[in-house]
Amino acid sequence: MHHTKSEIHDGMRIDWDAPVTMDDGVVLRADVFRPVDEGRYPVILSYGPYAKGLAFQEGYKVPGCA
């Protein structure tokens, strides 16, 4: 069994490797960052098939660009 680790860091509540169950039963894992204070907030979603936790700029470098 996998347990989600939660912490408060830089004013955010972070749930690391939170399970997200798909319609077919497959469980994906996501890192969820949200404000510490309760309430309704807009969502910013970033996703990709590989490298959770890797900055997009590092994982998808454009050849010839610094």
Side-chain angles (χ1 to χ4, degrees):
M1 176 178 275
H2 190 280
H3 295 283
T4 301
K5 176 185 170 192
S6 294
E7 66 179 302
I8 295 177
H9 185 71
D10 289 336
M12 294 179 288
R13 180 178 313 279
I14 307 169
D15 296 327
W16 300 104
D17 297 325
V20 180
T21 304
M22 302 291 101
D23 291 342
D24 62 0
V26 171
V27 177
L28 304 178
R29 299 279 171 183
D31 296 337
V32 181
F33 297 76
R34 55 196 160 120
V36 174
D37 295 332
E38 293 292 324
R40 294 178 59 113
Y41 297 92
V43 173
I44 300 172
L45 175 68
S46 175
Y47 69 95
Y50 307 107
K52 182 175 76 65
L54 178 68
F56 183 86
Q57 299 86 341
E58 291 298 314
Y60 300 94
K61 292 183 180 181
V62 176
C65 293

Coordinates of all heavy atoms in Angstrom, one line a residue:
M1 N 0.8 -1.2 0.0 CA 0.0 0.0 0.0 C 0.9 1.2 0.0 O 1.9 1.3 0.7 CB -0.9 0.0 1.2 CG -1.8 1.2 1.3 SD -2.9 1.2 2.7 CE -4.2 0.4 2.0
H2 N 0.5 2.2 -0.8 CA 1.3 3.5 -0.9 C 0.6 4.6 -0.1 O -0.6 4.8 -0.2 CB 1.3 3.8 -2.4 CG 2.3 4.9 -2.7 ND1 2.0 6.2 -2.5 CD2 3.6 4.9 -3.1 CE1 3.0 7.0 -2.8 NE2 4.0 6.2 -3.2
H3 N 1.3 5.3 0.7 CA 0.7 6.4 1.5 C 1.2 7.7 0.9 O 2.3 7.9 0.6 CB 1.1 6.2 3.0 CG 0.6 5.0 3.6 ND1 -0.7 4.9 4.0 CD2 1.2 3.8 3.9 CE1 -0.9 3.7 4.5 NE2 0.2 3.0 4.5
T4 N 0.2 8.6 0.9 CA 0.5 10.0 0.4 C 1.2 10.7 1.5 O 0.7 10.7 2.7 CB -0.8 10.7 0.0 OG1 -1.4 10.0 -1.0 CG2 -0.5 12.1 -0.5
K5 N 2.3 11.4 1.2 CA 3.0 12.2 2.2 C 2.5 13.7 2.0 O 2.5 14.2 0.9 CB 4.5 12.2 1.9 CG 5.3 13.1 2.8 CD 6.8 13.1 2.5 CE 7.5 14.2 3.2 NZ 8.9 14.4 2.7
S6 N 2.1 14.3 3.1 CA 1.7 15.7 3.0 C 2.6 16.6 3.9 O 3.1 16.1 4.9 CB 0.2 15.8 3.6 OG -0.6 15.2 2.7
E7 N 2.8 17.8 3.4 CA 3.6 18.7 4.2 C 3.2 20.1 3.8 O 2.5 20.4 2.8 CB 5.1 18.6 3.9 CG 5.5 18.9 2.5 CD 7.0 18.7 2.3 OE1 7.8 19.4 3.0 OE2 7.4 17.9 1.4
I8 N 3.5 21.1 4.7 CA 3.3 22.5 4.4 C 4.7 23.1 4.2 O 5.6 23.0 5.0 CB 2.6 23.2 5.6 CG1 1.2 22.6 5.7 CG2 2.5 24.7 5.3 CD1 0.4 23.1 6.8
H9 N 4.8 23.8 3.0 CA 6.1 24.3 2.6 C 5.8 25.6 1.8 O 5.0 25.6 0.9 CB 6.9 23.3 1.8 CG 8.2 23.7 1.4 ND1 9.3 23.8 2.3 CD2 8.8 24.1 0.2 CE1 10.4 24.2 1.7 NE2 10.1 24.4 0.4
D10 N 6.5 26.7 2.1 CA 6.4 28.0 1.4 C 4.9 28.4 1.3 O 4.5 28.9 0.3 CB 7.0 27.9 0.0 CG 8.5 27.8 0.1 OD1 9.1 28.2 1.1 OD2 9.1 27.3 -0.9
G11 N 4.1 28.2 2.3 CA 2.8 28.7 2.3 C 1.8 27.8 1.6 O 0.7 28.2 1.3
M12 N 2.2 26.6 1.2 CA 1.4 25.7 0.4 C 1.3 24.4 1.1 O 2.2 23.9 1.8 CB 2.0 25.4 -1.0 CG 2.0 26.6 -1.9 SD 2.7 26.1 -3.5 CE 4.4 25.9 -3.0
R13 N 0.1 23.7 1.0 CA 0.0 22.3 1.5 C 0.3 21.5 0.3 O -0.3 21.7 -0.8 CB -1.4 22.1 2.0 CG -1.6 20.7 2.5 CD -3.1 20.4 3.0 NE -3.5 21.5 3.9 CZ -3.1 21.5 5.2 NH1 -2.4 20.6 5.7 NH2 -3.6 22.5 6.0
I14 N 1.2 20.6 0.4 CA 1.6 19.7 -0.7 C 1.3 18.3 -0.4 O 1.8 17.8 0.7 CB 3.1 19.9 -1.0 CG1 3.5 21.3 -1.2 CG2 3.5 19.0 -2.3 CD1 5.0 21.6 -1.3
D15 N 0.6 17.6 -1.2 CA 0.3 16.2 -1.1 C 1.1 15.5 -2.2 O 0.9 15.7 -3.4 CB -1.2 15.8 -1.3 CG -2.0 16.5 -0.2 OD1 -1.6 16.6 0.9 OD2 -3.2 16.8 -0.5
W16 N 2.2 14.8 -1.8 CA 3.1 14.1 -2.8 C 2.5 12.7 -3.1 O 2.1 12.0 -2.3 CB 4.5 13.9 -2.1 CG 5.1 15.2 -1.7 CD1 5.2 15.7 -0.5 CD2 5.7 16.2 -2.6 NE1 5.9 16.9 -0.5 CE2 6.2 17.2 -1.8 CE3 5.9 16.3 -4.0 CZ2 6.8 18.3 -2.3 CZ3 6.5 17.4 -4.5 CH2 7.0 18.4 -3.7
D17 N 2.5 12.4 -4.4 CA 2.1 11.1 -4.9 C 0.6 10.8 -4.5 O 0.3 9.6 -4.2 CB 3.0 10.0 -4.5 CG 4.4 10.2 -5.0 OD1 4.5 10.7 -6.2 OD2 5.4 9.9 -4.4
A18 N -0.3 11.8 -4.6 CA -1.7 11.5 -4.3 C -2.3 10.6 -5.4 O -2.1 10.8 -6.6 CB -2.4 12.8 -4.2
P19 N -3.0 9.6 -5.0 CA -3.6 8.6 -6.0 C -4.8 9.3 -6.7 O -5.6 10.0 -6.1 CB -4.1 7.5 -5.1 CG -4.3 8.0 -3.8 CD -3.3 9.2 -3.6
V20 N -4.8 9.1 -8.0 CA -5.9 9.5 -8.9 C -6.4 8.3 -9.7 O -5.7 7.8 -10.5 CB -5.5 10.6 -9.9 CG1 -6.7 11.0 -10.7 CG2 -4.9 11.8 -9.1
T21 N -7.6 7.8 -9.3 CA -8.1 6.5 -10.0 C -8.8 6.9 -11.2 O -9.7 7.7 -11.2 CB -9.0 5.8 -9.0 OG1 -8.3 5.5 -7.8 CG2 -9.4 4.4 -9.6
M22 N -8.4 6.2 -12.3 CA -9.0 6.4 -13.6 C -10.3 5.5 -13.8 O -10.5 4.6 -12.9 CB -8.0 6.1 -14.8 CG -6.7 6.9 -14.8 SD -7.0 8.6 -15.2 CE -7.0 9.4 -13.6
D23 N -11.1 5.8 -14.8 CA -12.3 5.0 -15.0 C -12.1 3.5 -15.1 O -12.9 2.7 -14.8 CB -13.1 5.5 -16.2 CG -13.7 6.9 -16.1 OD1 -13.8 7.4 -14.9 OD2 -14.0 7.6 -17.1
D24 N -10.9 3.2 -15.7 CA -10.6 1.7 -15.9 C -9.9 1.1 -14.7 O -9.5 -0.1 -14.7 CB -9.8 1.5 -17.2 CG -8.4 2.2 -17.1 OD1 -8.1 2.9 -16.0 OD2 -7.6 2.1 -18.0
G25 N -9.8 1.9 -13.6 CA -9.2 1.3 -12.4 C -7.7 1.6 -12.2 O -7.2 1.3 -11.2
V26 N -7.0 2.0 -13.3 CA -5.6 2.3 -13.2 C -5.4 3.5 -12.2 O -6.2 4.5 -12.3 CB -5.1 2.7 -14.6 CG1 -3.6 3.2 -14.5 CG2 -5.1 1.5 -15.5
V27 N -4.4 3.4 -11.4 CA -4.2 4.5 -10.4 C -2.9 5.3 -10.9 O -1.9 4.7 -11.0 CB -4.0 4.0 -9.0 CG1 -3.6 5.1 -8.0 CG2 -5.2 3.2 -8.5
L28 N -3.1 6.6 -11.1 CA -2.0 7.5 -11.4 C -1.6 8.2 -10.2 O -2.4 8.3 -9.2 CB -2.4 8.4 -12.5 CG -2.9 7.8 -13.8 CD1 -3.3 8.9 -14.8 CD2 -1.9 6.9 -14.5
R29 N -0.4 8.8 -10.1 CA 0.0 9.6 -9.0 C 0.3 11.0 -9.4 O 0.8 11.3 -10.4 CB 1.3 9.0 -8.4 CG 1.1 7.5 -7.9 CD 0.5 7.5 -6.6 NE 0.2 6.1 -6.2 CZ -0.5 5.8 -5.1 NH1 -0.8 6.8 -4.2 NH2 -0.7 4.6 -4.8
A30 N -0.1 11.9 -8.5 CA 0.0 13.4 -8.8 C 0.5 14.1 -7.5 O 0.2 13.7 -6.4 CB -1.3 14.0 -9.2
D31 N 1.3 15.1 -7.7 CA 1.7 16.0 -6.6 C 0.7 17.2 -6.7 O 0.5 17.8 -7.7 CB 3.1 16.5 -6.8 CG 4.1 15.4 -6.8 OD1 3.8 14.4 -6.2 OD2 5.2 15.6 -7.3
V32 N 0.0 17.4 -5.5 CA -1.0 18.4 -5.5 C -0.6 19.6 -4.6 O -0.2 19.3 -3.4 CB -2.3 17.8 -4.9 CG1 -3.4 18.9 -4.9 CG2 -2.8 16.6 -5.8
F33 N -0.5 20.8 -5.1 CA -0.1 22.0 -4.4 C -1.4 22.8 -4.2 O -2.0 23.1 -5.2 CB 0.9 22.7 -5.2 CG 2.2 22.0 -5.4 CD1 2.3 21.0 -6.4 CD2 3.3 22.3 -4.7 CE1 3.5 20.3 -6.6 CE2 4.5 21.6 -4.9 CZ 4.6 20.6 -5.9
R34 N -1.6 23.2 -3.0 CA -2.8 24.1 -2.7 C -2.6 25.0 -1.5 O -1.7 24.8 -0.7 CB -4.1 23.2 -2.5 CG -3.9 22.2 -1.4 CD -5.0 21.2 -1.5 NE -4.6 20.0 -0.8 CZ -5.3 19.5 0.2 NH1 -6.4 20.0 0.6 NH2 -4.8 18.5 0.9
P35 N -3.3 26.1 -1.5 CA -3.2 27.0 -0.3 C -3.5 26.3 1.0 O -4.2 25.4 1.0 CB -4.2 28.1 -0.6 CG -4.5 28.0 -2.1 CD -4.3 26.5 -2.4
V36 N -2.8 26.8 2.0 CA -3.1 26.3 3.4 C -4.5 26.6 3.8 O -5.2 25.8 4.4 CB -2.0 26.8 4.4 CG1 -2.4 26.4 5.8 CG2 -0.6 26.3 4.0
D37 N -4.9 27.8 3.5 CA -6.3 28.3 4.0 C -7.4 27.6 3.2 O -7.2 27.4 1.9 CB -6.4 29.8 3.8 CG -5.5 30.6 4.7 OD1 -5.1 30.1 5.8 OD2 -5.1 31.7 4.3
E38 N -8.4 27.2 3.9 CA -9.6 26.6 3.2 C -10.2 27.6 2.3 O -10.2 28.8 2.5 CB -10.6 26.1 4.2 CG -10.1 24.9 5.1 CD -9.9 23.6 4.3 OE1 -10.7 23.4 3.4 OE2 -9.0 22.9 4.6
G39 N -10.9 27.1 1.2 CA -11.6 28.0 0.3 C -11.6 27.5 -1.1 O -11.1 26.4 -1.3
R40 N -12.2 28.2 -2.0 CA -12.2 27.8 -3.4 C -11.2 28.7 -4.1 O -11.1 29.9 -3.9 CB -13.6 28.1 -4.0 CG -14.7 27.2 -3.3 CD -16.1 27.5 -3.9 NE -16.1 27.4 -5.3 CZ -16.8 26.4 -6.0 NH1 -17.5 25.6 -5.3 NH2 -16.7 26.4 -7.3
Y41 N -10.4 28.0 -4.9 CA -9.3 28.7 -5.7 C -9.3 28.2 -7.1 O -9.7 27.0 -7.4 CB -8.0 28.3 -5.0 CG -7.8 28.8 -3.6 CD1 -8.2 28.0 -2.5 CD2 -7.4 30.1 -3.3 CE1 -8.1 28.5 -1.2 CE2 -7.3 30.6 -2.1 CZ -7.6 29.8 -1.0 OH -7.5 30.2 0.3
P42 N -8.8 29.0 -8.0 CA -8.6 28.5 -9.4 C -7.6 27.4 -9.5 O -6.7 27.3 -8.6 CB -8.2 29.7 -10.2 CG -7.7 30.7 -9.2 CD -8.4 30.3 -7.9
V43 N -7.7 26.6 -10.5 CA -6.7 25.4 -10.6 C -5.8 25.7 -11.8 O -6.2 26.2 -12.8 CB -7.5 24.1 -10.9 CG1 -6.6 23.0 -11.3 CG2 -8.4 23.8 -9.8
I44 N -4.5 25.4 -11.6 CA -3.5 25.4 -12.6 C -3.1 23.9 -12.7 O -2.6 23.3 -11.8 CB -2.3 26.3 -12.3 CG1 -2.8 27.7 -12.1 CG2 -1.2 26.2 -13.4 CD1 -1.7 28.6 -11.6
L45 N -3.2 23.4 -13.9 CA -2.9 22.0 -14.1 C -1.8 21.8 -15.1 O -1.8 22.4 -16.2 CB -4.2 21.2 -14.7 CG -4.0 19.8 -15.0 CD1 -3.7 18.9 -13.8 CD2 -5.2 19.3 -15.8
S46 N -0.8 21.0 -14.8 CA 0.3 20.7 -15.7 C 0.4 19.2 -15.7 O 0.4 18.6 -14.7 CB 1.6 21.4 -15.2 OG 2.7 21.0 -16.0
Y47 N 0.5 18.7 -16.9 CA 0.6 17.2 -17.0 C 1.5 16.8 -18.2 O 1.7 17.6 -19.1 CB -0.8 16.6 -17.1 CG -1.5 16.8 -18.4 CD1 -1.4 15.9 -19.5 CD2 -2.2 18.0 -18.6 CE1 -2.0 16.2 -20.7 CE2 -2.8 18.2 -19.8 CZ -2.8 17.3 -20.9 OH -3.4 17.6 -22.0
G48 N 2.0 15.6 -18.1 CA 2.8 15.1 -19.2 C 2.9 13.6 -19.0 O 2.7 13.1 -17.9
P49 N 3.4 12.9 -20.0 CA 3.5 11.4 -19.8 C 4.7 10.9 -19.0 O 4.7 9.8 -18.5 CB 3.6 10.9 -21.2 CG 4.2 12.0 -22.0 CD 3.7 13.3 -21.3
Y50 N 5.7 11.8 -18.8 CA 6.9 11.3 -18.1 C 7.4 12.4 -17.2 O 7.0 13.6 -17.3 CB 8.0 11.0 -19.1 CG 7.6 10.1 -20.1 CD1 7.4 10.5 -21.4 CD2 7.4 8.7 -19.8 CE1 7.0 9.6 -22.4 CE2 7.0 7.8 -20.8 CZ 6.8 8.2 -22.1 OH 6.4 7.4 -23.0
A51 N 8.3 12.1 -16.2 CA 9.1 13.0 -15.4 C 8.3 13.9 -14.5 O 8.5 15.1 -14.4 CB 10.0 13.8 -16.4
K52 N 7.4 13.3 -13.7 CA 6.7 14.1 -12.7 C 7.8 14.6 -11.8 O 8.7 13.9 -11.3 CB 5.7 13.2 -11.9 CG 5.0 13.9 -10.8 CD 3.9 13.0 -10.2 CE 4.5 12.0 -9.2 NZ 5.1 12.5 -8.0
G53 N 7.7 15.9 -11.5 CA 8.7 16.6 -10.6 C 9.8 17.2 -11.4 O 10.7 17.8 -10.8
L54 N 9.9 17.0 -12.7 CA 11.0 17.6 -13.5 C 10.4 18.8 -14.2 O 9.3 18.8 -14.8 CB 11.4 16.6 -14.6 CG 12.5 17.1 -15.5 CD1 13.8 17.3 -14.8 CD2 12.7 16.0 -16.7
A55 N 11.1 19.9 -14.1 CA 10.7 21.2 -14.7 C 10.5 21.0 -16.2 O 11.4 20.3 -16.8 CB 11.6 22.3 -14.4
F56 N 9.5 21.5 -16.8 CA 9.2 21.3 -18.2 C 10.5 21.8 -19.1 O 10.9 21.1 -20.0 CB 8.0 22.1 -18.7 CG 7.7 22.0 -20.1 CD1 6.8 20.9 -20.5 CD2 8.1 22.8 -21.1 CE1 6.5 20.8 -21.8 CE2 7.8 22.7 -22.4 CZ 7.0 21.7 -22.8
Q57 N 11.1 22.9 -18.6 CA 12.2 23.4 -19.4 C 13.4 22.4 -19.4 O 14.2 22.4 -20.3 CB 12.7 24.8 -18.8 CG 11.7 25.8 -18.8 CD 10.7 25.8 -17.6 OE1 10.5 24.8 -16.9 NE2 10.0 26.9 -17.4
E58 N 13.5 21.6 -18.3 CA 14.6 20.7 -18.2 C 14.3 19.4 -19.0 O 15.2 18.8 -19.6 CB 14.9 20.3 -16.7 CG 15.5 21.5 -16.0 CD 16.8 21.9 -16.5 OE1 17.7 21.0 -16.8 OE2 17.0 23.1 -16.7
G59 N 13.1 19.0 -19.0 CA 12.7 17.7 -19.7 C 12.5 17.9 -21.1 O 12.6 16.9 -21.9
Y60 N 12.2 19.1 -21.6 CA 11.8 19.3 -23.0 C 12.6 20.4 -23.6 O 12.1 21.4 -24.0 CB 10.3 19.5 -23.1 CG 9.5 18.4 -22.6 CD1 9.0 18.4 -21.3 CD2 9.2 17.3 -23.4 CE1 8.3 17.3 -20.8 CE2 8.5 16.2 -22.9 CZ 8.0 16.2 -21.6 OH 7.3 15.2 -21.2
K61 N 13.9 20.3 -23.5 CA 14.8 21.4 -24.0 C 14.7 21.5 -25.5 O 14.6 20.5 -26.2 CB 16.2 21.1 -23.6 CG 16.5 21.3 -22.1 CD 17.9 21.1 -21.8 CE 18.1 21.3 -20.3 NZ 19.5 21.1 -19.9
V62 N 14.7 22.7 -26.1 CA 14.7 22.9 -27.5 C 16.1 23.0 -28.0 O 16.9 23.7 -27.5 CB 14.0 24.3 -27.8 CG1 14.0 24.6 -29.3 CG2 12.6 24.3 -27.3
P63 N 16.5 22.1 -29.0 CA 17.8 22.1 -29.5 C 18.3 23.5 -29.9 O 17.5 24.2 -30.6 CB 17.8 21.1 -30.7 CG 16.6 20.3 -30.4 CD 15.6 21.2 -29.7
G64 N 19.5 23.9 -29.6 CA 20.0 25.2 -30.0 C 19.7 26.4 -29.1 O 20.1 27.5 -29.3
C65 N 18.8 26.1 -28.1 CA 18.5 27.2 -27.2 C 19.2 27.0 -25.8 O 19.3 25.8 -25.4 CB 16.9 27.2 -26.9 SG 16.0 27.7 -28.4
A66 N 19.6 28.0 -25.2 CA 20.2 27.9 -23.9 C 19.3 27.7 -22.8 O 18.2 28.0 -22.8 CB 21.0 29.2 -23.7

